[in-house]
Amino acid sequence: MTILNLFMILISFALLLLCMLAPLRKSTAAQEHPSVKMLLKPHAVCGVLLLIVSLVHGILSGHKPAMMSGKAAWICPLILLIASLFKKRMNPGAWLRLHRIFAVLLCVLIAVHVIHAVIL
């Protein structure tokens, strides 16, 4: 594993955490600490960066057994990105439900990908 690939893995993990912690920006703790609120605000930007950085990670990793689970995990934020283009046409409740389902699915798929990469 190259240093650049390891760096991409760490950035991907940090961006995933920022994306998953975005709902906390409305919490009282974030309201008391403006720096936390500011860090969690660019949710869409973090999502797009996660998609790009994870693609670079996949390219740098090459052809390994965990590649298939990584592709499945990569497709999930891609679908979220495409669905976000139609967000204004959707019912806000339906969008929120779809977004939450895909966020949980992404976490599960990434956990499977990491386990698959560590075991094989």
Side-chain angles (χ1 to χ4, degrees), residues 2 20-21 41 45 53-54 85 87 99 102 104 107 110 115 119:
T2 65
M20 292 300 138
L21 294 176
K41 187 168 178 116
V45 173
V53 171
S54 60
L85 298 174
K87 179 181 176 184
H99 194 76
F102 274 101
V104 170
C107 288
I110 288 178
I115 292 168
I119 291 175

Side-chain angles (χ1 to χ4, degrees), residues 76 79-80 83 87 90-106:
C76 192
I79 292 172
L80 269 171
K87 179 181 176 184
M90 295 176 72
N91 178 5
W95 165 252
L96 188 59
R97 185 171 184 221
L98 179 74
H99 194 76
R100 286 179 180 166
I101 289 170
F102 274 101
V104 170
L105 180 62
L106 176 62

Side-chain angles (χ1 to χ4, degrees), residues 11 25 32 55 62-63 90 93 117:
I11 292 174
R25 73 174 176 250
E32 293 172 1
L55 177 64
H63 190 69
M90 295 176 72

